[in-house]
Each structure stands twice: as structure tokens, then as C-alpha cells.
Amino acid sequence: GQLTDQRFACRILEGELRFNMVNTVCLGVIHKVPAPGGMSAVGGTGSEYFYYDNGIISDSKLGTAEFTAYVQKEKSADGNYHRCATDEGEKKVEEGTHEKKTISIDLAALCKKFTAEDCPVLMGTLGLAEEPIPLWWTADMINASLGECWTAVPVAEQKWVVGEFNCSCVGISKCLPAYCKPDTPNVSWKDIPAEEAGHATKYGDIVGKEAAGMLGV
């Protein structure tokens, strides 16, 4: 593995954006927000996930995403402004300990820049100029704009950095019903609900098209 030395981006509390990519095609974005009091957006930690399709399985293309949180007025012992559980927010505001904050993210603009400007130079920047961009991969981005977490930053002035690339264990969550486990050893493609199987097929068709293009077929 590789470790990148970079400054701590406190805005991880606002969440990170996972771009789901097939070659240079963006299938969609997942906004992953750490659980109240937490710093990690990894699954299984209580973090909240919000899914934005890029016109692949719906008619909705990426646009502007907003997230509202109820944030502490005073920093915690770790020096950060944490949010509380959403269903406790209004009560905390009334008690005077928290305030309502809304962040805005221009997913369409980020995606356009990432695919049009960054992807063409990505492999060279990583010292892998002779290698093609992965067929199926993800990039997790964090808002590294200066200033306190949860303070508004004009979309045009936001600075996003990649905290992680992943091309080793990217899967299709739509196919989880076909995942063989000790309690479901005989499941198969036939066990995937029709709608989800249709979505998975659309993803697979894009993977196949992009793979053929990379191979010059």
C-alpha cells in the first residue's frame, strides 16, 4: 500500500464524496457523512450515506447537493465542531447548544472538472504514466477549503482533495442478494430483484463498453 502525507482536513465532518467511476465515466456520487461525534465515514460506523445517480439508472443527472446538520456552538475536546443526531437537532437548537448549518456542494461542476481535467493526467501524476486508468474504481474527496468546519464556502472557491483511490474491491451493491454466505450458500443472479438486476445490468453494460474501448475492440 501507499500512504500520503497531507494535512488533516477537518471538513471530513461535513462528509466525503465517493465518485464511482468506470474508466472516465462517472456512474454517480455517494455523500458519506460521519456519525455524530465520529470522524470516519466508513460503513459500519453509523455514518449516513446519500446517493446521487448520474443519469445511469434514472433520469437524474448530478446537480447541487445540500446537507443540513445541527452543529455544536462550542468545540469538543478534540477541537472540532461535531453535529448531533438529526432527530435531536431542533431540541438542541432550542437549548442553545447547537445551531443549524447547511452546506452546498456542486456535484455537477466537481464531476466535470474531475473527468475532463484531472482524469487525463491522473496516472502520470501518480507516476504510472504507462498504465491505463483503472476500468472500475472510486475516488473519495474531502473538502479541504480553509476555515472552520461547517462554515459556508462559495462553491467556486471550494477546494476538494482526494483522500483515497480504490480499484481493488469495488462492487455492485445491487447484486448483494446473490452473495453466497453460510446462511445463503445457493443464491445466484436469479435471486436479485428484477429492478436491481436491471440496474446492475446497466452498470455492467457500461463496464463492458469501456473495457472494449480500452482494448481497442
Short mmCIF file of all heavy atoms in Angstrom, two decimals, residues 44-116:
data_model
loop_
_atom_site.label_atom_id
_atom_site.label_comp_id
_atom_site.label_asym_id
_atom_site.label_seq_id
_atom_site.Cartn_x
_atom_site.Cartn_y
_atom_site.Cartn_z
N GLY A 44 -20.49 0.95 8.51
CA GLY A 44 -20.47 0.19 9.76
C GLY A 44 -20.15 1.02 10.98
O GLY A 44 -20.13 0.50 12.10
N THR A 45 -19.91 2.33 10.78
CA THR A 45 -19.57 3.21 11.91
C THR A 45 -20.74 4.11 12.29
O THR A 45 -20.59 4.98 13.14
CB THR A 45 -18.36 4.09 11.57
OG1 THR A 45 -18.68 4.92 10.44
CG2 THR A 45 -17.13 3.24 11.24
N GLY A 46 -21.88 3.90 11.65
CA GLY A 46 -23.03 4.75 11.92
C GLY A 46 -23.10 5.95 11.00
O GLY A 46 -23.97 6.82 11.17
N SER A 47 -22.21 6.02 10.04
CA SER A 47 -22.21 7.13 9.09
C SER A 47 -23.45 7.05 8.19
O SER A 47 -24.02 5.98 8.00
CB SER A 47 -20.94 7.12 8.24
OG SER A 47 -20.74 5.85 7.64
N GLU A 48 -23.85 8.20 7.66
CA GLU A 48 -25.02 8.27 6.79
C GLU A 48 -24.58 8.40 5.34
O GLU A 48 -23.66 9.16 5.02
CB GLU A 48 -25.90 9.45 7.18
CG GLU A 48 -26.52 9.36 8.56
CD GLU A 48 -27.46 10.51 8.83
OE1 GLU A 48 -28.55 10.55 8.22
OE2 GLU A 48 -27.11 11.40 9.64
N TYR A 49 -25.24 7.67 4.45
CA TYR A 49 -24.91 7.68 3.04
C TYR A 49 -26.08 8.27 2.24
O TYR A 49 -27.23 7.91 2.44
CB TYR A 49 -24.64 6.26 2.53
CG TYR A 49 -23.28 5.70 2.92
CD1 TYR A 49 -22.60 6.15 4.05
CD2 TYR A 49 -22.67 4.71 2.15
CE1 TYR A 49 -21.37 5.63 4.41
CE2 TYR A 49 -21.43 4.18 2.49
CZ TYR A 49 -20.79 4.65 3.62
OH TYR A 49 -19.56 4.14 3.96
N PHE A 50 -25.72 9.17 1.30
CA PHE A 50 -26.71 9.77 0.42
C PHE A 50 -26.25 9.54 -1.02
O PHE A 50 -25.12 9.89 -1.38
CB PHE A 50 -26.85 11.27 0.72
CG PHE A 50 -27.21 11.56 2.15
CD1 PHE A 50 -26.22 11.75 3.10
CD2 PHE A 50 -28.54 11.60 2.55
CE1 PHE A 50 -26.54 11.99 4.44
CE2 PHE A 50 -28.87 11.85 3.88
CZ PHE A 50 -27.87 12.04 4.82
N TYR A 51 -27.12 8.96 -1.84
CA TYR A 51 -26.76 8.51 -3.18
C TYR A 51 -27.27 9.48 -4.25
O TYR A 51 -28.43 9.87 -4.24
CB TYR A 51 -27.31 7.11 -3.44
CG TYR A 51 -26.75 6.05 -2.50
CD1 TYR A 51 -27.29 5.86 -1.24
CD2 TYR A 51 -25.66 5.27 -2.88
CE1 TYR A 51 -26.77 4.90 -0.37
CE2 TYR A 51 -25.13 4.32 -2.02
CZ TYR A 51 -25.70 4.13 -0.77
OH TYR A 51 -25.18 3.19 0.08
N TYR A 52 -26.38 9.81 -5.20
CA TYR A 52 -26.74 10.69 -6.31
C TYR A 52 -26.35 10.01 -7.61
O TYR A 52 -25.17 9.82 -7.91
CB TYR A 52 -26.01 12.04 -6.16
CG TYR A 52 -26.39 12.79 -4.90
CD1 TYR A 52 -25.64 12.64 -3.73
CD2 TYR A 52 -27.50 13.63 -4.86
CE1 TYR A 52 -25.99 13.31 -2.56
CE2 TYR A 52 -27.86 14.30 -3.71
CZ TYR A 52 -27.10 14.13 -2.56
OH TYR A 52 -27.46 14.78 -1.41
N ASP A 53 -27.36 9.65 -8.39
CA ASP A 53 -27.15 8.99 -9.67
C ASP A 53 -26.73 10.02 -10.72
O ASP A 53 -27.11 11.19 -10.65
CB ASP A 53 -28.43 8.28 -10.10
CG ASP A 53 -28.30 7.57 -11.42
OD1 ASP A 53 -27.30 6.85 -11.61
OD2 ASP A 53 -29.20 7.73 -12.28
N ASN A 54 -25.97 9.57 -11.71
CA ASN A 54 -25.55 10.47 -12.78
C ASN A 54 -26.22 10.10 -14.10
O ASN A 54 -25.57 9.97 -15.13
CB ASN A 54 -24.02 10.44 -12.93
CG ASN A 54 -23.50 11.58 -13.79
OD1 ASN A 54 -24.13 12.64 -13.89
ND2 ASN A 54 -22.35 11.39 -14.41
N GLY A 55 -27.54 9.88 -14.02
CA GLY A 55 -28.29 9.58 -15.23
C GLY A 55 -28.09 8.17 -15.75
O GLY A 55 -28.40 7.89 -16.91
N ILE A 56 -27.60 7.26 -14.90
CA ILE A 56 -27.34 5.88 -15.33
C ILE A 56 -28.56 5.00 -15.10
O ILE A 56 -29.00 4.28 -16.00
CB ILE A 56 -26.12 5.29 -14.59
CG1 ILE A 56 -24.90 6.20 -14.77
CG2 ILE A 56 -25.84 3.88 -15.11
CD1 ILE A 56 -24.47 6.41 -16.19
N ILE A 57 -29.12 5.06 -13.91
CA ILE A 57 -30.28 4.22 -13.60
C ILE A 57 -31.54 5.06 -13.38
O ILE A 57 -32.57 4.56 -12.93
CB ILE A 57 -30.02 3.34 -12.36
CG1 ILE A 57 -29.71 4.20 -11.14
CG2 ILE A 57 -28.89 2.36 -12.63
CD1 ILE A 57 -29.57 3.40 -9.85
N SER A 58 -31.44 6.34 -13.67
CA SER A 58 -32.59 7.24 -13.56
C SER A 58 -32.40 8.37 -14.56
O SER A 58 -31.41 8.43 -15.28
CB SER A 58 -32.69 7.80 -12.14
OG SER A 58 -31.65 8.74 -11.90
N ASP A 59 -33.35 9.30 -14.58
CA ASP A 59 -33.25 10.46 -15.46
C ASP A 59 -32.53 11.63 -14.77
O ASP A 59 -32.34 12.69 -15.36
CB ASP A 59 -34.64 10.93 -15.89
CG ASP A 59 -35.35 9.90 -16.77
OD1 ASP A 59 -34.65 9.19 -17.51
OD2 ASP A 59 -36.59 9.80 -16.69
N SER A 60 -32.14 11.43 -13.51
CA SER A 60 -31.50 12.49 -12.74
C SER A 60 -29.99 12.52 -12.95
O SER A 60 -29.30 11.53 -12.70
CB SER A 60 -31.80 12.30 -11.24
OG SER A 60 -33.18 12.35 -10.99
N LYS A 61 -29.50 13.66 -13.41
CA LYS A 61 -28.06 13.87 -13.53
C LYS A 61 -27.55 14.57 -12.28
O LYS A 61 -28.33 15.12 -11.49
CB LYS A 61 -27.76 14.74 -14.77
CG LYS A 61 -28.22 14.13 -16.08
CD LYS A 61 -27.27 13.05 -16.57
CE LYS A 61 -25.98 13.63 -17.11
NZ LYS A 61 -25.10 12.61 -17.72
N LEU A 62 -26.25 14.54 -12.09
CA LEU A 62 -25.66 15.22 -10.94
C LEU A 62 -25.97 16.71 -10.99
O LEU A 62 -25.89 17.34 -12.04
CB LEU A 62 -24.15 15.00 -10.92
CG LEU A 62 -23.67 13.57 -10.68
CD1 LEU A 62 -22.15 13.52 -10.74
CD2 LEU A 62 -24.16 13.05 -9.34
N GLY A 63 -26.29 17.27 -9.84
CA GLY A 63 -26.57 18.70 -9.74
C GLY A 63 -25.94 19.25 -8.48
O GLY A 63 -24.78 18.96 -8.19
N THR A 64 -26.69 20.01 -7.71
CA THR A 64 -26.20 20.57 -6.45
C THR A 64 -26.80 19.78 -5.29
O THR A 64 -28.01 19.55 -5.25
CB THR A 64 -26.59 22.05 -6.30
OG1 THR A 64 -26.00 22.79 -7.38
CG2 THR A 64 -26.09 22.61 -4.99
N ALA A 65 -25.94 19.35 -4.38
CA ALA A 65 -26.38 18.61 -3.20
C ALA A 65 -26.28 19.51 -1.98
O ALA A 65 -25.35 20.31 -1.86
CB ALA A 65 -25.51 17.37 -3.00
N GLU A 66 -27.25 19.36 -1.09
CA GLU A 66 -27.22 20.12 0.15
C GLU A 66 -27.36 19.16 1.33
O GLU A 66 -28.04 18.13 1.23
CB GLU A 66 -28.34 21.16 0.20
CG GLU A 66 -28.15 22.32 -0.76
CD GLU A 66 -29.16 23.44 -0.52
OE1 GLU A 66 -30.19 23.18 0.14
OE2 GLU A 66 -28.90 24.56 -0.98
N PHE A 67 -26.68 19.50 2.42
CA PHE A 67 -26.80 18.69 3.63
C PHE A 67 -26.94 19.64 4.82
O PHE A 67 -26.16 20.56 4.98
CB PHE A 67 -25.56 17.82 3.83
CG PHE A 67 -25.61 16.99 5.08
CD1 PHE A 67 -26.43 15.87 5.16
CD2 PHE A 67 -24.85 17.33 6.20
CE1 PHE A 67 -26.49 15.11 6.32
CE2 PHE A 67 -24.90 16.57 7.36
CZ PHE A 67 -25.73 15.45 7.42
N THR A 68 -27.97 19.38 5.64
CA THR A 68 -28.23 20.21 6.80
C THR A 68 -27.87 19.45 8.07
O THR A 68 -28.25 18.28 8.23
CB THR A 68 -29.71 20.63 6.86
OG1 THR A 68 -30.00 21.43 5.69
CG2 THR A 68 -29.99 21.45 8.10
N ALA A 69 -27.16 20.10 8.96
CA ALA A 69 -26.73 19.48 10.20
C ALA A 69 -26.96 20.44 11.36
O ALA A 69 -27.05 21.66 11.18
CB ALA A 69 -25.25 19.10 10.13
N TYR A 70 -27.07 19.87 12.54
CA TYR A 70 -27.21 20.66 13.77
C TYR A 70 -25.88 20.53 14.51
O TYR A 70 -25.53 19.46 15.00
CB TYR A 70 -28.38 20.15 14.59
CG TYR A 70 -29.69 20.29 13.87
CD1 TYR A 70 -30.17 19.28 13.04
CD2 TYR A 70 -30.44 21.46 13.98
CE1 TYR A 70 -31.37 19.43 12.35
CE2 TYR A 70 -31.64 21.62 13.30
CZ TYR A 70 -32.10 20.61 12.48
OH TYR A 70 -33.28 20.77 11.79
N VAL A 71 -25.14 21.63 14.53
CA VAL A 71 -23.73 21.61 14.94
C VAL A 71 -23.50 22.32 16.26
O VAL A 71 -24.14 23.33 16.56
CB VAL A 71 -22.87 22.28 13.83
CG1 VAL A 71 -21.40 22.20 14.18
CG2 VAL A 71 -23.14 21.62 12.48
N GLN A 72 -22.56 21.79 17.04
CA GLN A 72 -22.21 22.40 18.32
C GLN A 72 -21.76 23.85 18.13
O GLN A 72 -21.06 24.17 17.17
CB GLN A 72 -21.05 21.63 18.96
CG GLN A 72 -21.35 20.18 19.32
CD GLN A 72 -20.07 19.44 19.68
OE1 GLN A 72 -19.03 19.67 19.08
NE2 GLN A 72 -20.17 18.55 20.65
N LYS A 73 -22.12 24.69 19.08
CA LYS A 73 -21.63 26.07 19.06
C LYS A 73 -20.21 26.15 19.61
O LYS A 73 -19.44 27.06 19.25
CB LYS A 73 -22.56 26.97 19.87
CG LYS A 73 -23.91 27.25 19.22
CD LYS A 73 -24.70 28.25 20.02
CE LYS A 73 -26.00 28.62 19.32
NZ LYS A 73 -26.79 29.62 20.10
N GLU A 74 -19.87 25.23 20.50
CA GLU A 74 -18.54 25.19 21.09
C GLU A 74 -17.81 23.93 20.63
O GLU A 74 -18.42 22.88 20.43
CB GLU A 74 -18.62 25.20 22.63
CG GLU A 74 -19.37 26.40 23.20
CD GLU A 74 -18.62 27.71 22.98
OE1 GLU A 74 -17.38 27.67 22.84
OE2 GLU A 74 -19.29 28.78 22.94
N LYS A 75 -16.51 24.05 20.46
CA LYS A 75 -15.72 22.90 20.01
C LYS A 75 -15.69 21.80 21.07
O LYS A 75 -15.74 22.07 22.27
CB LYS A 75 -14.28 23.33 19.70
CG LYS A 75 -14.14 24.19 18.45
CD LYS A 75 -12.68 24.50 18.19
CE LYS A 75 -12.51 25.32 16.92
NZ LYS A 75 -11.07 25.63 16.64
N SER A 76 -15.60 20.56 20.61
CA SER A 76 -15.44 19.43 21.52
C SER A 76 -14.00 19.38 22.01
O SER A 76 -13.15 20.16 21.56
CB SER A 76 -15.80 18.12 20.80
OG SER A 76 -17.16 18.09 20.45
N ALA A 77 -13.72 18.44 22.89
CA ALA A 77 -12.38 18.30 23.44
C ALA A 77 -11.34 18.02 22.35
O ALA A 77 -10.16 18.35 22.51
CB ALA A 77 -12.36 17.20 24.49
N ASP A 78 -11.79 17.43 21.23
CA ASP A 78 -10.85 17.12 20.15
C ASP A 78 -10.63 18.32 19.23
O ASP A 78 -9.93 18.22 18.21
CB ASP A 78 -11.31 15.91 19.35
CG ASP A 78 -12.66 16.12 18.66
OD1 ASP A 78 -13.18 17.26 18.66
OD2 ASP A 78 -13.20 15.14 18.10
N GLY A 79 -11.25 19.45 19.54
CA GLY A 79 -11.04 20.67 18.77
C GLY A 79 -11.90 20.81 17.54
O GLY A 79 -11.64 21.67 16.69
N ASN A 80 -12.94 19.99 17.44
CA ASN A 80 -13.80 20.02 16.25
C ASN A 80 -15.25 20.32 16.61
O ASN A 80 -15.69 20.13 17.75
CB ASN A 80 -13.73 18.67 15.52
CG ASN A 80 -12.37 18.41 14.93
OD1 ASN A 80 -11.97 19.04 13.96
ND2 ASN A 80 -11.64 17.46 15.52
N TYR A 81 -15.99 20.80 15.62
CA TYR A 81 -17.42 21.08 15.77
C TYR A 81 -18.20 19.87 15.26
O TYR A 81 -18.34 19.68 14.06
CB TYR A 81 -17.82 22.32 14.98
CG TYR A 81 -17.23 23.61 15.51
CD1 TYR A 81 -16.10 24.17 14.92
CD2 TYR A 81 -17.81 24.27 16.60
CE1 TYR A 81 -15.55 25.36 15.39
CE2 TYR A 81 -17.28 25.46 17.08
CZ TYR A 81 -16.15 26.00 16.47
OH TYR A 81 -15.62 27.18 16.95
N HIS A 82 -18.71 19.07 16.17
CA HIS A 82 -19.46 17.88 15.78
C HIS A 82 -20.95 18.18 15.67
O HIS A 82 -21.47 19.08 16.32
CB HIS A 82 -19.24 16.76 16.79
CG HIS A 82 -17.85 16.19 16.76
ND1 HIS A 82 -17.46 15.26 15.83
CD2 HIS A 82 -16.76 16.43 17.55
CE1 HIS A 82 -16.18 14.94 16.04
NE2 HIS A 82 -15.74 15.63 17.07
N ARG A 83 -21.63 17.40 14.87
CA ARG A 83 -23.07 17.51 14.74
C ARG A 83 -23.74 16.53 15.71
O ARG A 83 -23.11 15.58 16.19
CB ARG A 83 -23.51 17.22 13.31
CG ARG A 83 -23.35 15.76 12.88
CD ARG A 83 -23.70 15.57 11.40
NE ARG A 83 -23.57 14.18 10.99
CZ ARG A 83 -24.58 13.32 10.87
NH1 ARG A 83 -25.81 13.73 11.14
NH2 ARG A 83 -24.40 12.07 10.48
N CYS A 84 -25.00 16.76 15.98
CA CYS A 84 -25.76 15.82 16.78
C CYS A 84 -26.67 15.02 15.85
O CYS A 84 -26.74 15.29 14.65
CB CYS A 84 -26.59 16.55 17.84
SG CYS A 84 -27.97 17.54 17.17
N ALA A 85 -27.34 14.03 16.39
CA ALA A 85 -28.30 13.26 15.59
C ALA A 85 -29.37 14.21 15.05
O ALA A 85 -29.84 15.09 15.78
CB ALA A 85 -28.92 12.16 16.44
N THR A 86 -29.74 14.02 13.80
CA THR A 86 -30.68 14.94 13.15
C THR A 86 -32.00 15.06 13.92
O THR A 86 -32.55 16.16 14.06
CB THR A 86 -30.96 14.48 11.71
OG1 THR A 86 -29.71 14.40 10.99
CG2 THR A 86 -31.88 15.46 11.00
N ASP A 87 -32.49 13.93 14.43
CA ASP A 87 -33.78 13.98 15.13
C ASP A 87 -33.69 14.69 16.48
O ASP A 87 -34.72 14.98 17.11
CB ASP A 87 -34.36 12.58 15.30
CG ASP A 87 -33.45 11.64 16.07
OD1 ASP A 87 -32.35 12.07 16.47
OD2 ASP A 87 -33.82 10.48 16.27
N GLU A 88 -32.49 15.00 16.94
CA GLU A 88 -32.31 15.74 18.20
C GLU A 88 -31.98 17.20 17.93
O GLU A 88 -31.87 18.00 18.86
CB GLU A 88 -31.18 15.12 19.02
CG GLU A 88 -31.39 13.66 19.42
CD GLU A 88 -30.19 13.08 20.14
OE1 GLU A 88 -29.17 13.81 20.26
OE2 GLU A 88 -30.26 11.92 20.56
N GLY A 89 -31.83 17.56 16.65
CA GLY A 89 -31.34 18.88 16.28
C GLY A 89 -32.15 20.05 16.77
O GLY A 89 -31.61 20.98 17.40
N GLU A 90 -33.45 20.04 16.50
CA GLU A 90 -34.29 21.18 16.88
C GLU A 90 -34.27 21.40 18.40
O GLU A 90 -34.22 22.55 18.87
CB GLU A 90 -35.74 20.96 16.40
CG GLU A 90 -35.89 20.91 14.88
CD GLU A 90 -35.57 22.25 14.22
OE1 GLU A 90 -35.48 23.28 14.93
OE2 GLU A 90 -35.40 22.27 12.98
N LYS A 91 -34.28 20.32 19.15
CA LYS A 91 -34.23 20.43 20.61
C LYS A 91 -32.91 21.05 21.06
O LYS A 91 -32.88 21.92 21.94
CB LYS A 91 -34.40 19.06 21.25
CG LYS A 91 -34.36 19.08 22.77
CD LYS A 91 -34.51 17.68 23.35
CE LYS A 91 -34.41 17.71 24.88
NZ LYS A 91 -34.52 16.34 25.47
N LYS A 92 -31.82 20.63 20.44
CA LYS A 92 -30.51 21.17 20.79
C LYS A 92 -30.42 22.66 20.46
O LYS A 92 -29.80 23.43 21.19
CB LYS A 92 -29.41 20.41 20.05
CG LYS A 92 -29.30 18.92 20.40
CD LYS A 92 -28.69 18.71 21.74
CE LYS A 92 -28.42 17.23 22.00
NZ LYS A 92 -27.82 16.99 23.35
N VAL A 93 -31.05 23.05 19.36
CA VAL A 93 -31.07 24.47 18.97
C VAL A 93 -31.84 25.27 20.02
O VAL A 93 -31.41 26.35 20.44
CB VAL A 93 -31.68 24.66 17.57
CG1 VAL A 93 -31.90 26.14 17.28
CG2 VAL A 93 -30.77 24.05 16.50
N GLU A 94 -32.98 24.75 20.43
CA GLU A 94 -33.79 25.44 21.45
C GLU A 94 -33.03 25.57 22.77
O GLU A 94 -33.16 26.57 23.48
CB GLU A 94 -35.09 24.67 21.68
CG GLU A 94 -36.06 24.73 20.50
CD GLU A 94 -37.32 23.92 20.75
OE1 GLU A 94 -37.47 23.40 21.89
OE2 GLU A 94 -38.14 23.80 19.83
N GLU A 95 -32.22 24.55 23.08
CA GLU A 95 -31.45 24.58 24.32
C GLU A 95 -30.26 25.52 24.22
O GLU A 95 -29.62 25.85 25.23
CB GLU A 95 -30.96 23.17 24.66
CG GLU A 95 -32.09 22.20 25.00
CD GLU A 95 -31.60 20.77 25.16
OE1 GLU A 95 -30.45 20.49 24.78
OE2 GLU A 95 -32.38 19.92 25.66
N GLY A 96 -29.94 25.94 23.00
CA GLY A 96 -28.86 26.90 22.80
C GLY A 96 -27.47 26.32 22.67
O GLY A 96 -26.49 27.06 22.61
N THR A 97 -27.37 24.99 22.57
CA THR A 97 -26.05 24.36 22.46
C THR A 97 -25.61 24.12 21.02
O THR A 97 -24.43 23.95 20.75
CB THR A 97 -26.04 23.01 23.20
OG1 THR A 97 -27.02 22.14 22.61
CG2 THR A 97 -26.34 23.20 24.68
N HIS A 98 -26.59 24.11 20.09
CA HIS A 98 -26.29 23.82 18.69
C HIS A 98 -26.93 24.86 17.79
O HIS A 98 -27.83 25.61 18.21
CB HIS A 98 -26.81 22.43 18.30
CG HIS A 98 -26.07 21.30 18.91
ND1 HIS A 98 -25.97 21.11 20.27
CD2 HIS A 98 -25.36 20.28 18.34
CE1 HIS A 98 -25.25 20.03 20.52
NE2 HIS A 98 -24.87 19.51 19.36
N GLU A 99 -26.46 24.91 16.54
CA GLU A 99 -27.05 25.78 15.54
C GLU A 99 -27.19 25.02 14.23
O GLU A 99 -26.44 24.07 13.96
CB GLU A 99 -26.22 27.05 15.35
CG GLU A 99 -24.76 26.82 15.04
CD GLU A 99 -23.97 28.12 15.08
OE1 GLU A 99 -24.59 29.18 14.85
OE2 GLU A 99 -22.76 28.07 15.32
N LYS A 100 -28.16 25.44 13.43
CA LYS A 100 -28.44 24.77 12.17
C LYS A 100 -27.51 25.27 11.08
O LYS A 100 -27.36 26.47 10.88
CB LYS A 100 -29.90 25.02 11.79
CG LYS A 100 -30.42 24.20 10.63
CD LYS A 100 -31.90 24.45 10.42
CE LYS A 100 -32.49 23.60 9.30
NZ LYS A 100 -33.94 23.86 9.14
N LYS A 101 -26.85 24.33 10.40
CA LYS A 101 -25.92 24.68 9.33
C LYS A 101 -26.26 23.87 8.08
O LYS A 101 -26.59 22.69 8.16
CB LYS A 101 -24.48 24.34 9.74
CG LYS A 101 -23.96 25.11 10.96
CD LYS A 101 -23.48 26.48 10.56
CE LYS A 101 -22.73 27.15 11.71
NZ LYS A 101 -22.18 28.47 11.32
N THR A 102 -26.15 24.51 6.92
CA THR A 102 -26.39 23.82 5.66
C THR A 102 -25.20 24.04 4.73
O THR A 102 -24.77 25.18 4.52
CB THR A 102 -27.67 24.34 4.97
OG1 THR A 102 -28.80 24.09 5.82
CG2 THR A 102 -27.89 23.63 3.64
N ILE A 103 -24.67 22.95 4.21
CA ILE A 103 -23.57 23.03 3.25
C ILE A 103 -24.11 22.73 1.85
O ILE A 103 -25.08 21.99 1.70
CB ILE A 103 -22.41 22.07 3.58
CG1 ILE A 103 -22.91 20.62 3.59
CG2 ILE A 103 -21.76 22.45 4.90
CD1 ILE A 103 -21.77 19.60 3.67
N SER A 104 -23.49 23.32 0.85
CA SER A 104 -23.91 23.14 -0.54
C SER A 104 -22.73 22.64 -1.36
O SER A 104 -21.62 23.16 -1.24
CB SER A 104 -24.44 24.46 -1.11
OG SER A 104 -24.88 24.29 -2.44
N ILE A 105 -22.97 21.62 -2.18
CA ILE A 105 -21.91 21.01 -2.98
C ILE A 105 -22.36 20.95 -4.43
O ILE A 105 -23.40 20.35 -4.73
CB ILE A 105 -21.57 19.60 -2.49
CG1 ILE A 105 -21.31 19.57 -0.99
CG2 ILE A 105 -20.37 19.05 -3.25
CD1 ILE A 105 -21.27 18.17 -0.41
N ASP A 106 -21.60 21.53 -5.34
CA ASP A 106 -21.92 21.48 -6.76
C ASP A 106 -21.32 20.20 -7.35
O ASP A 106 -20.20 20.20 -7.86
CB ASP A 106 -21.37 22.72 -7.47
CG ASP A 106 -21.90 22.85 -8.89
OD1 ASP A 106 -22.33 21.83 -9.47
OD2 ASP A 106 -21.86 23.97 -9.44
N LEU A 107 -22.07 19.12 -7.27
CA LEU A 107 -21.58 17.83 -7.76
C LEU A 107 -21.32 17.85 -9.26
O LEU A 107 -20.36 17.24 -9.75
CB LEU A 107 -22.58 16.73 -7.43
CG LEU A 107 -22.84 16.46 -5.94
CD1 LEU A 107 -23.92 15.40 -5.79
CD2 LEU A 107 -21.57 16.02 -5.24
N ALA A 108 -22.16 18.55 -10.00
CA ALA A 108 -22.01 18.60 -11.46
C ALA A 108 -20.69 19.25 -11.84
O ALA A 108 -19.96 18.76 -12.71
CB ALA A 108 -23.18 19.35 -12.07
N ALA A 109 -20.36 20.38 -11.19
CA ALA A 109 -19.11 21.08 -11.50
C ALA A 109 -17.90 20.25 -11.10
O ALA A 109 -16.90 20.19 -11.83
CB ALA A 109 -19.09 22.44 -10.79
N LEU A 110 -17.98 19.60 -9.93
CA LEU A 110 -16.87 18.76 -9.48
C LEU A 110 -16.64 17.60 -10.44
O LEU A 110 -15.50 17.29 -10.79
CB LEU A 110 -17.17 18.22 -8.08
CG LEU A 110 -16.81 19.08 -6.89
CD1 LEU A 110 -17.29 18.42 -5.60
CD2 LEU A 110 -15.30 19.31 -6.82
N CYS A 111 -17.72 16.97 -10.86
CA CYS A 111 -17.61 15.84 -11.77
C CYS A 111 -17.02 16.27 -13.11
O CYS A 111 -16.16 15.59 -13.67
CB CYS A 111 -19.00 15.21 -11.97
SG CYS A 111 -18.98 13.76 -13.05
N LYS A 112 -17.46 17.41 -13.62
CA LYS A 112 -16.95 17.89 -14.90
C LYS A 112 -15.45 18.15 -14.83
O LYS A 112 -14.69 17.75 -15.72
CB LYS A 112 -17.69 19.17 -15.29
CG LYS A 112 -17.25 19.74 -16.64
CD LYS A 112 -18.05 21.00 -16.99
CE LYS A 112 -17.60 21.56 -18.33
NZ LYS A 112 -18.37 22.79 -18.69
N LYS A 113 -15.01 18.80 -13.76
CA LYS A 113 -13.59 19.09 -13.61
C LYS A 113 -12.79 17.80 -13.44
O LYS A 113 -11.73 17.62 -14.04
CB LYS A 113 -13.33 20.00 -12.42
CG LYS A 113 -11.85 20.36 -12.24
CD LYS A 113 -11.64 21.25 -11.04
CE LYS A 113 -10.16 21.68 -10.94
NZ LYS A 113 -9.24 20.53 -10.89
N PHE A 114 -13.32 16.89 -12.62
CA PHE A 114 -12.60 15.65 -12.33
C PHE A 114 -12.41 14.81 -13.60
O PHE A 114 -11.32 14.32 -13.87
CB PHE A 114 -13.36 14.86 -11.27
CG PHE A 114 -12.66 13.63 -10.80
CD1 PHE A 114 -11.34 13.67 -10.37
CD2 PHE A 114 -13.32 12.41 -10.78
CE1 PHE A 114 -10.69 12.54 -9.93
CE2 PHE A 114 -12.68 11.26 -10.35
CZ PHE A 114 -11.35 11.32 -9.92
N THR A 115 -13.49 14.66 -14.37
CA THR A 115 -13.40 13.81 -15.55
C THR A 115 -12.69 14.47 -16.72
O THR A 115 -11.97 13.82 -17.48
CB THR A 115 -14.81 13.35 -15.99
OG1 THR A 115 -15.64 14.51 -16.20
CG2 THR A 115 -15.45 12.48 -14.93
N ALA A 116 -12.88 15.79 -16.88
CA ALA A 116 -12.32 16.49 -18.04
C ALA A 116 -10.88 16.95 -17.83
O ALA A 116 -10.07 16.95 -18.77
CB ALA A 116 -13.20 17.68 -18.41
#
